[in-house]
Amino acid sequence: MGKIGRKGWASLWKAHYEVFNQNKQLKFTIREENAWVKVMDGLVGQIPIINLFTGLFLNPAYLVINGNNETVVRLSKEKSLVGRRFKVSEVKKLSGNDDDIIIMSLMMMVLLERRKG
């Protein structure tokens, strides 16, 4: 179907992934909507007891952007104390098999971001 890759140093402060199709052509870009959420989560996550409640008020969102620099999908983490639920919203109508590659890429990105912390 394709592959997803993290965009080097740009991913340190703000998540940035590139989605390629099976022909190795850049199809979509996934970016974190607000980098400060990640920074605050890292800082508050170091405080004992309080770090248990970060899921209630620090919830990242990610935007999937097509080649025309238009947002097509938004992935957001829902507020939760212990669970991890995400909501995928279609911002712009997708064509062809784009929905399959986007969903698979978002799943992989969430797993990679979780592993990073």
Side-chain angles (χ1 to χ4, degrees):
M1 288 190 74
K3 68 177 186 174
I4 183 171
R6 200 167 97 207
K7 179 87 175 189
W9 287 98
S11 295
L12 277 173
W13 294 103
K14 193 172 186 177
H16 186 128
Y17 292 86
E18 293 179 337
V19 179
F20 299 91
N21 63 10
Q22 63 270 21
N23 300 325
K24 299 182 182 177
Q25 297 172 334
L26 181 64
K27 191 79 173 164
F28 299 101
T29 303
I30 302 173
R31 294 189 187 139
E32 194 165 5
E33 193 172 42
N34 186 353
W36 288 108
V37 173
K38 182 185 281 187
V39 172
M40 291 302 295
D41 189 31
L43 292 173
V44 175
Q46 300 299 318
I47 303 170
I49 307 291
I50 295 176
N51 64 354
L52 299 173
F53 301 103
T54 59
L56 292 173
F57 58 92
L58 293 173
N59 299 300
Y62 302 90
L63 303 175
V64 179
I65 300 165
N66 65 10
N68 298 331
N69 211 19
E70 301 169 325
T71 301
V72 291
V73 173
R74 183 175 189 268
L75 171 81
S76 57
K77 184 175 177 253
E78 294 183 340
K79 294 180 181 188
S80 169
L81 186 58
V82 290
R84 292 200 170 116
R85 289 188 152 180
F86 292 88
K87 180 181 176 184
V88 178
S89 307
E90 187 177 40
V91 176
K92 185 176 180 195
K93 188 70 178 161
L94 297 171
S95 60
N97 295 330
D98 289 343
D99 54 347
D100 291 339
I101 194 168
I102 288 174
I103 293 297
M104 298 298 278
S105 298
L106 288 173
M107 288 171 50
M108 188 67 188
M109 188 263 321
V110 167
L111 291 172
L112 290 169
E113 285 295 304
R114 189 175 112 189
R115 190 177 68 183
K116 278 180 25 180

